Amino acid sequence: MCDTLVMTRTATAAGVTLFAKNSDRDPNEAHHLLLLPTADHPPGSRVHCTYIEIEQAPHTHAVALAKPFWIWGAEMGVNEHGVAIGNEALFTRAPADKTPRLLGMDLLRLALERAETARGAVEVITTLLERYGQGGNCGFAHPLYYQNSFLIADPDDAWVLETADRHWAARRVQGHYAISNAITLGKQWDMASPDLVTYAVEQGWCKSAAEFDFAQVYSDFLYTRFSDARKRCAATMTALQTSSGRATPESMLAALRLHTADAAPDWSPAHGLIGATVCMHASYGPVRRSQTTGSLVAYLHPQRPLLFVTGTAAPCTSIFKPLWLDTPLPESAGPAPTGVYDPHTLFWRHERLHRSLLRDYPQRITVIQEERALLEQELLEEALAACDAPLEDRRRIVAEGFSRALAAEERWLTRIAAAPPNRRQSFWHERAWAGFNRAAGVPSDALV
């Protein structure tokens, strides 16, 4: 489960398109930040994606990817031309293909590597979709099969693309838009696969083309309902509408941290066995298996896109740090993570804080909120002012941003250790996280 949002340049304070996404995956499915340079490939080259091999493009663009560690593709990313893409799981009446094919995350990365514009990315994805199809297990801890939607933006344009098997529809969007784990396109689109409507009529899902509505006809009720997709999408659309015309990167960060519209001061992710929020928190049972494992906000500067990334779980407990495509990840980010606890990695180092906060979220989150807000604001302002700065200055800003964030998290761990939990979690929530910790090999003394 995920949420992806965009504010096109006419809706932002600086006249620069903003893009954002939360990647929701299994709690131990470590999030990996990866920068890849531009490359040229010999004729006849092939590229091995997560499951299958396809023809390689003669040239691939530089990309910044935020991805599940074990998958070749990515949940979200930005390329050197300022094309940004996020994907969402869709559950439709067209059965998800269990045959290993291209994952939606593979399609996302292939589009970033090959397209110079948002419209070009739509064409890359739909061409590959129609040729190879989408399919294969997308789950880490449990098998999961789904189709995909995509929100795609560049400095001047934005598109929503929604698919069901090899069928698809796409529409250009202006102003603001958000997608979750549900089809949003109804009767209007700008491009579509030739058989989008006829296939539905042949299946008996609607009687005629005149009554066809993509969302109504193709949507699977059960998964769409229990993912709270429409509720989450409504929440992000409301947040975007509220800031329309004056949106900033801070607006997007706030949207990614949404829990509930009427969250009380003592709100806790330990409450409830059903329900999902934009800032997703895992708990017990099949409905609440997903956790936001990484988040991204992109400031699509026309010459030099700027990213703000967490690389860590739960944006409400994380710090967004600046990154450009030509500034390497600092050594403090550590090696690539896996699904096994490793405190040398960025993701698992943060899990010490994240999972400790969960032991009494209402009390402990207050320990970090004020300092996190001040630090994050400083990092954002310095990076935004440096989009045209020399490379060495930007490298320093990135390195210092990651270092300051890591130092802050160590301070917060010390502070919350001095604030013993004063309320007990629900039995089922505590049991769920004990299971997650055991599966990843998180030692009990790693948490405070």
Side-chain angles (χ1 to χ4, degrees):
M1 310 301 115
C2 305
D3 292 277
T4 310
L5 0 165
V6 69
M7 297 288 276
T8 62
R9 61 180 185 174
T10 59
T12 67
V16 174
T17 297
L18 297 170
F19 175 91
K21 181 182 174 179
N22 278 344
S23 171
D24 301 339
R25 307 289 301 179
D26 288 319
N28 293 334
E29 192 172 357
H31 192 72
H32 181 205
L33 298 175
L34 180 64
L35 296 176
L36 296 172
T38 183
D40 294 312
H41 307 279
S45 294
R46 309 280 290 176
V47 57
H48 197 283
C49 303
T50 303
Y51 295 124
I52 68 170
E53 186 178 90
I54 69 169
E55 73 282 0
Q56 178 60 284
H59 177 83
T60 51
H61 307 306
V63 294
L65 305 175
K67 59 192 289 295
F69 75 90
W70 64 278
I71 286 175
W72 180 85
E75 284 264 322
M76 50 201 175
V78 181
N79 74 14
E80 62 184 297
H81 300 285
V83 178
I85 312 178
N87 82 301
E88 302 279 333
L90 286 185
F91 301 93
T92 78
R93 295 172 76 175
D97 194 341
K98 295 186 178 182
T99 305
R101 301 188 187 278
L102 291 174
L103 297 182
M105 289 162 279
D106 296 336
L107 291 166
L108 184 154
R109 175 170 170 177
L110 289 164
L112 288 175
E113 291 185 342
R114 301 178 182 201
E116 297 184 8
T117 64
R119 171 65 181 269
V122 173
E123 294 172 356
V124 169
I125 292 172
T126 55
T127 299
L128 292 171
L129 178 67
E130 292 178 350
R131 181 172 181 182
Y132 295 103
Q134 56 181 320
N137 176 35
C138 304
F140 173 60
H142 307 276
L144 184 63
Y145 302 89
Y146 53 75
Q147 288 121 21
N148 292 267
S149 63
F150 304 86
L151 195 56
I152 308 170
D154 66 31
D156 301 308
D157 200 10
W159 286 78
V160 56
L161 167 62
E162 298 177 337
T163 75
D165 194 21
R166 301 191 191 207
H167 317 290
W168 58 272
R171 190 175 77 194
R172 175 180 276 116
V173 299
Q174 297 180 340
H176 63 275
Y177 206 82
I179 59 174
S180 189
N181 303 104
I183 299 172
T184 62
L185 299 179
K187 293 178 176 290
Q188 296 182 338
W189 56 81
D190 295 311
M191 298 187 293
S193 55
D195 60 350
L196 178 71
V197 179
T198 57
Y199 179 78
V201 174
E202 290 170 358
Q203 296 298 310
W205 298 343
C206 65
K207 295 180 179 179
S208 67
E211 69 175 36
F212 179 83
D213 179 294
F214 189 23
Q216 290 183 6
V217 169
Y218 272 85
S219 294
D220 169 87
F221 171 77
L222 186 65
Y223 279 93
T224 303
R225 168 68 180 84
F226 279 99
S227 70
D228 272 345
R230 302 200 187 283
K231 179 180 177 181
R232 288 184 284 120
C233 192
T236 53
M237 285 289 280
T238 298
L240 296 180
Q241 177 63 45
T242 300
S243 62
S244 184
R246 52 186 177 81
T248 63
E250 293 90 333
S251 307
M252 307 302 270
L253 269 59
L256 294 183
R257 286 175 168 141
L258 286 172
H259 288 132
T260 64
D262 55 350
D266 63 347
W267 179 88
S268 171
H271 298 158
L273 296 178
I274 61 172
T277 55
V278 178
C279 178
M280 188 83 75
H281 294 269
S283 190
Y284 185 82
V287 177
R288 290 189 61 192
R289 283 180 180 162
S290 288
Q291 168 74 43
T292 299
T293 54
S295 304
L296 162 73
V297 169
Y299 179 82
L300 299 182
H301 187 280
Q303 284 75 47
R304 189 172 288 121
L306 167 61
L307 285 61
F308 297 100
V309 297
T310 61
T312 57
C316 65
T317 72
S318 293
I319 302 168
F320 285 83
K321 301 164 281 288
L323 183 68
W324 286 271
L325 275 78
D326 60 349
T327 54
L329 284 164
E331 290 185 6
S332 60
T338 70
V340 176
Y341 176 76
D342 178 0
H344 299 98
T345 65
L346 178 68
F347 178 85
W348 284 111
R349 188 184 298 122
H350 174 77
E351 283 304 282
R352 294 184 60 211
L353 174 68
H354 168 225
R355 299 185 191 205
S356 294
L357 287 167
L358 292 179
R359 291 183 162 186
D360 186 350
Y361 183 90
Q363 172 187 270
R364 289 184 158 188
I365 195 67
T366 62
V367 175
I368 77 167
Q369 283 177 319
E370 183 176 353
E371 185 179 350
R372 185 203 64 201
L374 291 172
L375 172 58
E376 202 169 69
Q377 190 63 36
E378 291 176 6
L379 298 180
L380 263 67
E381 290 178 358
E382 184 177 18
L384 288 168
C387 280
D388 296 318
L391 175 60
E392 284 306 309
D393 290 347
R394 291 182 290 107
R395 288 173 66 111
R396 175 190 56 78
I397 289 171
V398 170
E400 289 181 356
F402 275 74
S403 293
R404 293 179 67 188
L406 291 171
E409 292 195 353
E410 290 301 319
R411 290 196 301 274
W412 299 339
L413 268 171
T414 301
R415 290 179 192 169
I416 65 174
N422 61 14
R423 72 195 79 197
R424 186 173 177 81
Q425 301 179 70
S426 74
F427 170 80
W428 295 110
H429 186 73
E430 187 172 357
R431 179 175 177 178
W433 278 97
F436 300 145
N437 292 339
R438 185 167 56 251
V442 179
S444 58
D445 60 1
L447 308 182
V448 298

